[in-house]
Amino acid sequence: MKIQESAENYLETILILSQKNTQVRSIDIATELGFSKPSVSVAMKNLRENGYITVNDHGHISLTDSGRAIADTIYERHTLLSKCLEYLGVNPETAARDACRIEHVISTESFAAIKKHAHIYLKSTDDE
């Protein structure tokens, strides 16, 4: 199922925040993304209604299995594409910004091909 780019960004942000903090709240997401609390609340409502997140009585947000699968996919694309662009000489800020755009539109086939070949080149830089 294809979801909107904004929903993918929210899910990826929840994943990243959950790796840093034990609990993720709407205010954390709003702060991280620089969005208003009402905008984030509407997005969280939509993600919850579509089964991508759960929100407990204390307002703590968790990814469901389907939400986690999407977040993992987007995050993997983001990190690998950023590394590839940096390897090619793009400065880290531009690489991250461009990766954020590309990660939502690249096909599964194209990403798999990049991933297959990127590990050859990126592995040599990781070993240094």
Side-chain angles (χ1 to χ4, degrees):
M1 174 182 179
K2 179 68 179 151
I3 66 170
Q4 293 183 353
E5 180 178 327
S6 62
E8 291 176 342
N9 281 333
Y10 278 112
L11 294 171
E12 181 184 21
T13 300
I14 294 165
L15 174 66
I16 292 167
L17 289 172
S18 69
Q19 292 171 346
K20 297 177 191 175
N21 308 313
T22 56
Q23 303 294 331
V24 177
R25 299 166 299 143
S26 289
I27 188 66
D28 303 322
I29 298 164
T31 301
E32 181 74 16
L33 296 174
F35 294 166
S36 70
K37 290 189 283 185
S39 294
V40 173
S41 292
V42 168
M44 293 306 104
K45 178 179 182 262
N46 290 335
L47 291 174
R48 190 180 71 249
E49 288 176 351
N50 287 297
Y52 297 119
I53 64 168
T54 59
V55 182
N56 72 15
D57 294 339
H58 301 289
H60 299 141
I61 299 165
S62 299
L63 295 167
T64 62
D65 289 343
S66 60
R68 177 67 187 231
I70 294 166
D72 284 340
T73 298
I74 297 301
Y75 186 66
E76 177 189 30
R77 289 178 177 187
H78 182 90
T79 55
L80 183 66
L81 292 167
S82 292
K83 286 179 184 177
C84 287
L85 292 169
E86 287 180 43
Y87 175 80
L88 295 171
V90 177
N91 80 59
E93 286 181 14
T94 302
R97 195 170 44 249
D98 289 347
C100 194
R101 292 184 189 115
I102 298 167
E103 69 195 24
H104 302 287
V105 297
I106 193 168
S107 70
T108 303
E109 179 183 1
S110 293
F111 182 73
I114 290 170
K115 184 177 174 180
K116 178 180 176 184
H117 292 287
H119 289 292
I120 296 166
Y121 302 104
L122 298 177
K123 182 161 177 37
S124 65
T125 62
D126 289 344
D127 293 339
E128 295 173 355

